[in-house]
Amino acid sequence: MKNWIKKLVVFLFVFFSLLGSKCEMVLASEKMASLGNAVSVNIDEREYGKDVQADKVWKIRFNQSMEMESLKNNIKIIDTESKKDMVLDIFLEENDTVTIIKPKNLKDGTYCLIVNSDVTSKVGKHLKRSIQLNFNVVLNKKEELDSNSKEAEENKDLYIKYIEDINVNINQYESFILPYTVKAVMSDGKIKNLDVFWKESVQTTDVPGKHVYTGLVNGYKKDVVLNLNIKELKKQNTTPHSKLQKNLCNYLMDNNNRQFTMKRAIELHGGDPSNTCVYFASEALRRAGLKDLDEQVCNTVTLTKELKNRGWSTSTDLSELAPGDICFTISYGYGPTHAYTFMNWVNEEDYNYAYICDNQGNEYGNAYHQRNIDFQTSTKDKISYFMYKI
C-alpha cells in the first residue's frame, strides 16, 4: 500500500510540474534550426538545387552575434564532384549577426553550402544541427573562355582612373548592407567591378539623416565614398481601428520604447530572452493604454482569450489589417507560434511583407523590421488571424 501511495505522489508531482510549465511550453516559438538559447540560423531554402551565378553572394542571418574564427572554420562550400573546399571570403555585418559569404572561382557544377553545428556565438552557443544546401552553377562557356583570355592579356600598366561617390537612399529602419564591389573607371575607359573594403559597417538605420562611409580599393589612392541618406519614417497615415491601436503604433515608433519593452519582456520571463513575443506584445499594449492586461499573460492562446474578453474582434481578411492590430501566426497543435504588432505594409499592392514590431529584434537588428505575412518560409510562419478593437 505504501509503495502504491509513493508512486501516486511521484506521478502527481510530475503531472503538476508539467502543467505548471505549460505556459512556457506554449510560448510562441517559431520553427528555427535550433531551440532554446542555442544559435538559430535563417537561410533561404528556396535556393536549394537552384541554378545560381558563380559570383552569388550568400547571406546567412543568425539570432546571435557570432565569432568570426568559428565561422571561418565551420562554413564551407564544397565541390560535390571533387570534394574540394572552395576559397571563401567571409564578412560579418549588422552587429555580427549577419554572415556574408563570397565564394571564389566557381565553375560549372554542383556545390554544397555547409554550416557546421560547431559555429559558435560570442556567448558560446552552438547550432543544434548542421545545415546543408545544394546549388548549381552554370556558366556560359564562351563567356568563361573570353573572360579568362582577357584576364591573361591584362595590361600591366592599367590603373584606376576614378571611382565615383555612391549615393543611396533608404527608409528609416530598413536593412542595408554596404556593397562588396564598386564600379571603377579604368585608364582605358572601361568600367570594372572591384572589391571594396569598408572602414566600418552599418550598425543601425534607426537614425535618419545623411551618413558617410569610406572604403578602400586596392590600387586606388583615394577613399571610396558612400553617402547613405536615411529618410525618416513618418507615423502611419493608415487609419488604425481605435485610439488604443493608434497609441500602440505611436509608442512602438520610438526606438527607446521598443528597447524598454524588450527589456521588460525578458524580465517578465524570468530573465530568459527566448519565447518572449507575447510578453513583448502585452507590455506594449499596457503602455498604449490597456492597463488591466495581466503581466502573467505569456502565450498566444491566453492573449487571444484576454483580447476577446475585452471586446476585440478577430479577422482573417488582410484587407482589414490596420496599424496597431495584433497578428497571430498558424498553429501546430496548441495555439499560434508567434504574435506581433502590425505597423504598415511594405507594398500596398500586395500582402507579402509588412513592417511589424516584435521580440525578434536580435535576428533583424531592430524590433521594428519587415516580415513575411501571407506566405510561409522555412523559419517564419504565415499569418493565421489578427485582432483589433473598434
Side-chain angles (χ1 to χ4, degrees), residues 37 39 64-67 70 119-126:
N37 290 325
V39 175
Q64 300 178 24
S65 298
M66 304 300 292
E67 286 288 353
S70 169
V119 291
T120 307
S121 70
K122 290 185 177 179
V123 294
K125 301 297 182 181
H126 298 269

Side-chain angles (χ1 to χ4, degrees), residues 160 162-164 166 181-186 191-194:
I160 302 171
Y162 64 88
I163 299 175
E164 291 187 347
I166 304 168
T181 61
V182 292
K183 294 184 181 298
V185 178
M186 309 303 292
I191 296 177
K192 191 173 183 178
N193 289 321
L194 299 176

Side-chain angles (χ1 to χ4, degrees), residues 46 342 344-348 350-356 370-375 377:
R46 289 175 292 184
F342 174 83
N344 206 358
W345 293 110
V346 172
N347 184 351
E348 294 182 358
D350 61 52
Y351 301 135
N352 293 337
Y353 291 94
Y355 293 104
I356 64 106
Q370 291 187 27
R371 180 192 170 88
N372 57 296
I373 302 298
D374 67 345
F375 68 96
T377 75

Side-chain angles (χ1 to χ4, degrees), residues 318-335:
L318 295 182
S319 67
E320 297 180 349
L321 190 55
D325 291 353
I326 305 300
C327 302
F328 298 85
T329 57
I330 61 176
S331 170
Y332 293 93
Y334 190 93

Side-chain angles (χ1 to χ4, degrees), residues 250-313:
N250 290 340
Y251 173 80
L252 289 173
M253 284 296 293
D254 188 295
N255 187 49
N256 290 329
N257 291 343
R258 294 194 298 271
Q259 291 182 359
F260 170 84
T261 303
M262 188 68 245
K263 181 180 178 181
R264 182 59 182 151
I266 295 173
E267 290 175 353
L268 292 172
H269 197 201
D272 185 354
S274 63
N275 298 334
T276 54
C277 71
V278 172
Y279 286 116
F280 184 95
S282 298
E283 181 62 27
L285 283 166
R286 284 189 290 272
R287 293 284 163 177
L290 198 63
K291 303 293 185 181
D292 64 338
L293 185 60
D294 197 294
E295 290 186 342
Q296 298 308 309
V297 174
C298 64
N299 62 68
T300 53
V301 173
T302 304
L303 180 58
T304 298
K305 180 180 178 181
E306 291 292 329
L307 294 179
K308 281 184 177 179
N309 290 341
R310 288 164 175 78
W312 285 54
S313 300

Side-chain angles (χ1 to χ4, degrees), residues 3 24 42 59 80 85 152 173 182 215 244 268 282 311 337 349:
N3 289 336
E24 298 301 321
N42 188 348
K59 178 179 178 180
T80 57
D85 289 358
Y173 309 121
V182 292
L244 172 65
L268 292 172
S282 298
T337 60
E349 296 180 356

